[in-house]
Amino acid sequence: MIHFNELRITEDNKSLIIDVSVDSDSCFSDVTLDTIIIDNQDTYVDNGPSSNPVLSINAKENYSKVLVEESCCYTPVYVESQEYECYVKDDKNIRVLVRLDEYNIKSTDMLFVYVMTEGTPSCNVDKSYILGTVVNLYSIYAKAMDYIREVECVCSTPKHFVDFILRLKALELCIKTGNYTQAIKYWNRLNINPSNECCYG
């Protein structure tokens, strides 16, 4: 019913991009985007979103419609200039750029982005929202480059590097299968620096 076109933390670790649309199928003609809710690893609850999310954005209250020129014609767009950078083609498509520091969101947080809808589809759907998980793997991959030096060590098994790879794969598997509680545990473990006892001679 809904799909993310883009969902990521920017390369500078300063913003979260959320670009989401209602599917174009005719049975969703009465469905519109309503609210974006963001939880992190501390506020996440099963069958969320939580009652105390990190951020909640009600598009219909926070954005006012204006007309902007797009290609050859004018298109209605919702724009809110104070808290978010938001561009909406209509009430079925939204693109929001959330500045992390304004909401005390860390680039090392595991974020759970819920997009809620309004309206009733004419076909059967399981849920009236979509959930996307966002992690910034830059710091994790930077840590991997430290551990990879263990592979060159002839005096012992590269245990920290092997441990790191297993943790990363476990995280990926948990996210893909929707086991978010376990994913949070692996994410927290990935952000812990184990002591490196390998000799680098």
Side-chain angles (χ1 to χ4, degrees):
M1 184 169 71
I2 323 167
H3 63 273
F4 287 106
N5 303 309
E6 188 175 6
L7 183 61
R8 66 181 177 88
I9 294 175
T10 55
E11 292 82 358
D12 59 8
N13 297 327
K14 293 183 178 179
S15 301
L16 170 66
I17 296 175
I18 305 167
D19 192 315
V20 64
S21 300
V22 175
D23 293 340
S24 58
D25 193 295
S26 60
C27 73
F28 305 126
S29 59
D30 293 333
V31 176
T32 59
L33 298 173
D34 183 51
T35 308
I36 298 174
I37 299 173
I38 303 174
D39 278 304
N40 67 9
Q41 69 279 350
D42 299 322
T43 64
Y44 173 81
V45 294
D46 289 330
N47 303 314
S50 72
S51 58
N52 59 336
V54 175
L55 177 62
S56 179
I57 303 169
N58 186 320
K60 295 176 181 176
E61 291 181 2
N62 286 287
Y63 305 105
S64 58
K65 184 181 289 188
V66 298
L67 290 175
V68 298
E69 188 171 4
E70 193 172 281
S71 300
C72 64
C73 55
Y74 282 91
T75 306
V77 174
Y78 288 89
V79 178
E80 207 287 333
S81 59
Q82 296 178 358
E83 296 183 68
Y84 326 104
E85 292 180 13
C86 176
Y87 306 94
V88 181
K89 294 178 182 176
D90 52 43
D91 56 2
K92 294 180 180 291
N93 303 277
I94 188 169
R95 180 177 178 86
V96 182
L97 189 145
V98 178
R99 296 176 186 88
L100 302 183
D101 59 352
E102 293 184 11
Y103 301 97
N104 199 28
I105 300 173
K106 302 177 184 68
S107 63
T108 56
D109 282 348
M110 175 178 277
L111 301 177
F112 300 91
V113 180
Y114 299 85
V115 180
M116 320 300 285
T117 61
E118 187 176 66
T120 305
S122 58
C123 51
N124 291 329
V125 293
D126 293 336
K127 295 180 180 178
S128 61
Y129 66 88
I130 189 174
L131 168 61
T133 309
V134 185
V135 292
N136 183 3
L137 291 175
Y138 176 77
S139 61
I140 302 301
Y141 285 137
K143 191 182 299 183
M145 297 312 295
D146 290 336
Y147 296 153
I148 204 168
R149 292 182 297 167
E150 290 184 344
V151 176
E152 301 173 7
C153 180
V154 295
C155 63
S156 65
T157 303
K159 61 181 181 179
H160 294 119
F161 182 67
V162 171
D163 178 64
F164 172 85
I165 295 298
L166 291 175
R167 290 185 191 193
L168 183 60
K169 290 300 179 184
L171 171 68
E172 292 173 355
L173 183 60
C174 288
I175 291 175
K176 285 180 180 178
T177 58
N179 189 347
Y180 300 118
T181 301
Q182 194 65 35
I184 290 170
K185 292 178 182 178
Y186 286 122
W187 178 249
N188 290 335
R189 289 187 65 192
L190 273 170
N191 282 287
I192 295 173
N193 283 310
S195 59
N196 196 334
E197 299 173 351
C198 179
C199 61
Y200 295 113

